[in-house]
Amino acid sequence: EAGVAQSPRYKIIEKRQSVAFWCNPISGHATLYWYQQILGQGPKLLIQFQNNGVVDDSQLPKDRFSAERLKGVDSTLKIQPAKLEDSAVYLCASSLPRVWDTDTQYFGPGTRLTVL
Amino acid sequence: AQSVSQHNHHVILSEAASLELGCNYSYGGTVNLFWYVQYPGQHLQLLLKYFSGDPLVKGIKGFEAEFIKSKFSFNLRKPSVQWSDTAEYFCAVRHGSSNTGKLIFGQGTTLQVKP
């Protein structure tokens, strides 16, 4: 079974530029998550989709971050404009559409963003 | 705010030594508990998980963890580590009563095993 795919793996941009990350979840997984992992910290949830609907985006900085999952499969996370503090690894995860108390998430390799 | 605390940020062991990594969480209700591992250059992988039942959970590669509800803890153990266990380990918690899959992660523990 193919895992969660993410691209690009690395991205270097200057502050105030825009950037987009792409994620393709495991086939059949209805739930998709984007996490931000700053160096030395654990991942922090930015947004969760169930099919193409948003379940939780309470920690997404909506003034500069946006995400979509238009067809309920792959997803794009965008930052516009980027700030220095956005330097992090952006992780995508997916899970089957089970009840939440048995949910297990599978993670992709991540995109390492450096903002100069 | 709910939080997960991993007591050891960096652990160095020799091969064959025993391992215990601490994890405590601050939520008093029903929880789902996870340990994830990230080997150098690889993505986060599930090591083991606890949803309900036997509080002693066995995972892959000889790891186990014990859920102690009264102590709000879910410590990871392995009786004899190998050089290949060198990795970063993350404890994560999900609120069992939540209607989302949101995981709250600890800050991680870097384990270095010397051959």
Side-chain angles (χ1 to χ4, degrees), chain A residues 9 33 35 37 40-45 48 55-56 58-59 91 100-110, chain B residues 32 34 36 38 41-46 49 51 88 90 94 96 98-108:
Chain A
R9 293 294 308 277
Y33 308 81
Y35 287 86
Q37 185 178 12
Q41 300 180 19
K44 181 186 80 172
L45 181 71
Q48 177 189 337
V55 175
D56 184 348
S58 57
Q59 297 189 95
L91 298 168
W100 296 119
D101 61 359
T102 61
D103 187 58
T104 299
Q105 297 175 29
Y106 298 88
F107 285 81
Chain B
N32 305 144
F34 305 81
Y36 280 86
Q38 188 166 23
Q42 297 187 28
H43 59 277
L44 274 170
Q45 302 172 38
L46 183 66
K49 59 189 176 185
F51 290 137
E88 191 158 18
F90 292 93
R94 190 195 150 272
S98 171
N99 61 355
T100 80
K102 177 180 178 178
L103 293 178
I104 300 171
F105 283 84
Q107 70 269 43

Side-chain angles (χ1 to χ4, degrees), chain A residues 36-73:
Chain A
Q36 178 193 57
Q37 185 178 12
I38 294 172
L39 186 65
Q41 300 180 19
K44 181 186 80 172
L45 181 71
L46 292 175
I47 189 167
Q48 177 189 337
F49 291 95
Q50 179 74 10
N51 296 307
N52 60 353
V54 176
V55 175
D56 184 348
D57 64 356
S58 57
Q59 297 189 95
L60 186 73
K62 299 180 184 65
D63 57 334
R64 297 184 300 106
F65 285 65
S66 64
E68 58 184 17
R69 194 184 184 200
L70 294 176
K71 297 182 179 179
V73 181

Side-chain angles (χ1 to χ4, degrees), chain B residues 3 6 16-17 19 21 26 29-30 45-46 54 59 65 76 78 80 83 85 88 101 108-111 115:
Chain B
S3 64
Q6 293 183 236
L19 170 72
L21 300 181
S26 64
T30 303
Q45 302 172 38
L46 183 66
D54 189 343
L76 181 71
K78 186 171 184 178
S80 176
W83 176 79
D85 293 324
E88 191 158 18
T109 297
T110 300
L111 172 64

Side-chain angles (χ1 to χ4, degrees), chain B:
Chain B
Q2 295 85 7
S3 64
V4 177
S5 177
Q6 293 183 236
H7 314 299
N8 314 99
H9 296 293
H10 196 165
V11 173
I12 302 174
L13 296 173
S14 298
E15 275 193 312
S18 64
L19 170 72
E20 181 160 3
L21 300 181
C23 173
N24 285 91
Y25 59 92
S26 64
Y27 182 65
T30 303
V31 291
N32 305 144
L33 299 158
F34 305 81
W35 276 97
Y36 280 86
V37 60
Q38 188 166 23
Y39 298 104
Q42 297 187 28
H43 59 277
L44 274 170
Q45 302 172 38
L46 183 66
L47 201 53
L48 48 77
K49 59 189 176 185
Y50 171 81
F51 290 137
S52 63
D54 189 343
L56 185 60
V57 179
K58 295 193 184 297
I60 60 172
K61 303 185 180 184
F63 285 91
E64 65 178 29
E66 185 175 12
F67 171 48
I68 303 179
K69 189 174 182 179
S70 61
K71 294 185 178 181
F72 301 93
S73 70
F74 190 56
N75 292 352
L76 181 71
R77 299 193 293 247
K78 186 171 184 178
S80 176
V81 294
Q82 301 173 320
W83 176 79
S84 58
D85 293 324
T86 294
E88 191 158 18
Y89 293 81
F90 292 93
C91 179
V93 174
R94 190 195 150 272
H95 299 163
S97 59
S98 171
N99 61 355
T100 80
K102 177 180 178 178
L103 293 178
I104 300 171
F105 283 84
Q107 70 269 43
T109 297
T110 300
L111 172 64
Q112 182 182 353
V113 180
K114 293 184 175 181

Side-chain angles (χ1 to χ4, degrees), chain A residues 8 10 16 18 23 27 34 46 49-51 63 65 67-68 76 83 86 90-91 97 111:
Chain A
Y10 305 92
R16 293 188 289 274
S18 302
C23 171
S27 177
W34 283 102
L46 292 175
F49 291 95
Q50 179 74 10
N51 296 307
D63 57 334
F65 285 65
E68 58 184 17
T76 302
K83 293 185 176 181
D86 298 332
Y90 291 85
L91 298 168
T111 297

Side-chain angles (χ1 to χ4, degrees), chain A residues 1 11-12 20 22 25 29 54-55 57 60 66 69 72 85 92 112:
Chain A
E1 172 179 86
K11 189 73 177 179
I12 301 174
W22 175 82
H29 281 196
V54 176
V55 175
D57 64 356
L60 186 73
S66 64
R69 194 184 184 200
E85 58 261 35
C92 180
R112 183 177 298 275

